[in-house]
Amino acid sequence: MTGPEPEKPPMPSPAVLVLVQPVTRTEVTRLCERLTALARRAGPGPVTVDVGGVGRPDLAVVEALARLRLTAGRLGRGIQLRNARGELRRLLAWTGLDEALPAPAPLGHALGPEPGGEAEQREQALGVQEGVEPGDPAP
């Protein structure tokens, strides 16, 4: 006969930081402090930043997200965006931050070209991987 099972400590919840409109440059320091506190209390993995309430994004939002990414990196964490929609995603791509600030893609959609598009003349199609057969000579 065995005794009662020891209680497992509660699993830390994932860190989620919610941004709402307006996000201003003066608010960035406070947002970074909130992210730091969340990351220290939460379980492992990236910090999720919910940007669904931002409304119309501008460069202040992009700056805030870039600073949040740097803050998370200093804590050994990454960030991922939740509810990042069209205009914000295009703005992140335009600034080159789309790879540093990934967003889980909605079903069947990814950041970048629309699915089903064709590569233009002389451009390699994206997402195509060439298979290699055993015994093929090296290129």
Side-chain angles (χ1 to χ4, degrees):
M1 187 181 280
T2 62
E5 290 186 33
E7 288 188 36
K8 294 181 182 177
M11 291 293 293
S13 60
V16 179
L17 177 66
V18 179
L19 300 186
V20 293
Q21 187 78 5
V23 174
T24 62
R25 297 178 95 185
T26 58
E27 195 175 4
V28 172
T29 301
R30 186 182 61 79
L31 289 172
C32 290
E33 290 168 356
R34 284 181 50 206
L35 182 132
T36 299
L38 281 169
R40 289 187 174 147
R41 286 192 317 259
V47 176
T48 299
V49 179
D50 189 329
V51 293
V54 166
R56 187 176 181 126
D58 57 14
L59 290 178
V61 173
V62 172
E63 179 184 354
L65 292 173
R67 294 271 307 275
L68 289 169
R69 168 65 176 86
L70 290 172
T71 300
R74 288 184 191 114
L75 297 168
R77 310 291 280 281
I79 70 169
Q80 64 179 12
L81 302 181
R82 179 190 295 166
N83 297 321
R85 294 188 184 90
E87 195 172 352
L88 177 58
R89 292 170 66 152
R90 285 187 294 276
L91 193 54
L92 291 172
W94 180 73
T95 59
L97 292 171
D98 52 331
E99 290 183 24
L101 299 165
L107 297 176
H109 292 84
L111 181 61
E114 292 293 319
E118 294 184 19
E120 292 190 28
Q121 186 176 9
R122 294 187 177 168
E123 288 187 9
Q124 183 176 355
L126 299 174
V128 176
Q129 210 171 32
E130 187 175 319
V132 179
E133 297 292 324
D136 280 352

